[in-house]
Amino acid sequence: MSTLTRILGLATFLVCAALPAHAADPFPQKGKVLRIISPLSPGGSSDVQARAIANKLSQQLGIPVMVENKPGASTGIAVRELMRSPADGYTVLYTITVTTSQLPHLYEKPPFDVFKDMTPVGVAARTRTILVATPKAPYSTLKELVSYAKANPGKINYGSYGLGSSGHVNGELLKANAGIDIVHVPYKGSTDAVRDLLAGQIQFVFDGPSTAISNAKGGLVKILGVADKERLPAIPDVPTLTEAGVAGIDLPGLEQFFVPVGTPKEIVNKLNSELMKAVRSPEVSDMYVRGGSTVVASTPEEHARMMREDSAQWGTVMRRLNIRAD
């Protein structure tokens, strides 16, 4: 063997040895299962979205994609599950604004740092909540609700999917901005809150648009207004809460994906590409639009920026309302 051949062989060996270990294991691998963690109860808007995305993603990647529900602690249980998971791309958190923009402002010492303990992959969509009441309620408009609450202080209970969630913050905004005395009842998920709403245990909730619109069409609830600056194309005849008589309840939310810290950048980018492709697919994007959401399909970098802007907005409101868990 010539000296030149030996040198070339050694150089090839050194280059291969310097490659990262994961380069030999392309993502995704056949036989692996990708898990999407949903922080809310089965059947709610976010869970329905997660399952539609999982189905599409499975088709694209050629591997099974399952949704695992981890409700509770205002999405904190799901976040801790993500943080315990391997940083290999096979565990993804699909969560809502409460995780990144509300929960961090709820505690003096939050249980995790969303800017350090999770890696943003992309924002799927912007969403909002809709104020819905039981059909048996003695009011059919926001003004009538406010009048009834003023005549019956402390006798209206409203539900939310957890302390510090959008439903809770919007309920407290309504309480403060309308000058009424209403009582907050937190649940593990929106499905649980809506179940008690239908049973008459609580009088109204700020629900996700998908289930709110579906339940309204079925006559199970009546819609009193949209918590947004503009009306929703899916329900153009329904006024915003400002139009209905109470201003200032109009902060949107984010539907977003995260992976554990330490996930290789190339895997984060691959997941972003595939997840946003699924989000933009006709069947999934149509589902978002019908459900009152606006498709975003961001990059990881755009996601990080949107998180910080969203967190600052919600933090300001929560401090003003003194919404705290400790």
Side-chain angles (χ1 to χ4, degrees):
M1 182 183 294
S2 68
T3 301
L4 178 59
T5 300
R6 286 196 298 271
I7 291 174
L8 290 174
L10 177 61
T12 300
F13 170 79
L14 291 174
V15 168
C16 291
L19 289 174
H22 59 258
D25 299 321
F27 177 86
Q29 297 180 53
K30 297 296 182 183
K32 289 279 192 176
V33 176
L34 193 150
R35 181 174 58 140
I36 296 180
I37 301 172
S38 173
L40 300 178
S41 303
S45 298
S46 185
D47 177 66
V48 170
Q49 294 161 4
R51 293 180 188 280
I53 292 167
N55 182 59
K56 193 65 182 177
L57 189 63
S58 179
Q59 296 173 18
Q60 293 170 192
L61 296 180
I63 64 172
V65 179
M66 60 175 285
V67 174
E68 185 174 325
N69 297 89
K70 294 285 184 180
S74 297
T75 75
I77 291 176
V79 173
R80 286 190 284 272
E81 178 67 19
L82 180 79
M83 291 169 61
R84 288 194 295 263
S85 301
D88 57 6
Y90 293 98
T91 303
V92 177
L93 173 68
Y94 178 66
T95 192
I96 53 180
T97 289
V98 62
T99 302
T100 54
S101 303
Q102 294 153 1
L103 193 59
H105 303 290
L106 195 59
Y107 301 93
E108 184 177 349
K109 295 181 179 179
F112 51 84
D113 186 332
V114 295
F115 300 107
K116 295 179 180 179
D117 296 334
M118 305 189 299
T119 297
V121 177
V123 174
R126 282 196 178 275
T127 189
R128 59 282 294 165
T129 56
I130 296 177
L131 176 56
V132 296
T134 169
K136 297 178 181 179
Y139 39 78
S140 297
T141 67
L142 179 60
K143 287 184 178 180
E144 290 174 355
L145 185 158
V146 171
S147 295
Y148 183 86
K150 287 182 175 180
N152 298 273
K155 294 184 179 180
I156 291 182
N157 297 326
Y158 76 93
S160 79
Y161 47 87
L163 190 64
S165 65
S166 296
H168 178 207
V169 176
N170 284 337
E172 293 304 300
L173 275 171
L174 174 59
K175 180 178 180 178
N177 295 359
I180 56 178
D181 181 8
I182 53 179
V183 180
H184 175 231
V185 181
Y187 291 85
K188 281 189 174 182
S190 60
T191 304
D192 304 317
V194 172
R195 181 195 61 228
D196 274 10
L197 176 72
L198 301 182
Q201 300 299 314
I202 54 177
Q203 284 67 59
F204 72 82
V205 299
F206 282 90
D207 196 13
S210 179
T211 50
I213 293 171
S214 176
N215 285 333
K217 287 180 178 178
L220 300 176
V221 300
K222 47 187 175 185
I223 296 178
L224 305 188
V226 177
D228 197 35
K229 290 181 172 64
E230 299 178 353
R231 295 190 181 197
L232 299 185
I235 44 175
D237 295 333
V238 176
T240 66
L241 295 179
T242 297
E243 292 173 327
V246 181
I249 311 174
D250 51 21
L251 287 179
L254 303 177
E255 301 279 2
Q256 48 198 325
F257 298 99
F258 293 91
V259 290
V261 169
T263 302
K265 181 64 176 175
E266 59 269 29
I267 293 180
V268 173
N269 289 337
K270 173 67 173 178
L271 281 170
N272 172 267
S273 175
E274 295 295 338
L275 284 166
M276 297 308 116
K277 180 180 177 181
V279 166
R280 288 190 295 264
S281 67
E283 52 267 54
V284 176
S285 61
D286 288 350
M287 175 194 65
Y288 276 118
V289 173
R290 288 195 310 271
S293 297
T294 304
V295 174
V296 175
S298 79
T299 64
E301 293 73 23
E302 291 168 339
H303 183 183
R305 174 182 56 77
M306 293 168 71
M307 276 174 60
R308 293 188 181 279
E309 292 173 353
D310 201 54
S311 180
Q313 288 181 313
W314 283 98
T316 298
V317 170
M318 292 178 68
R319 285 189 293 273
R320 175 166 69 84
L321 296 173
N322 195 30
I323 296 178
R324 305 282 298 178
D326 49 17

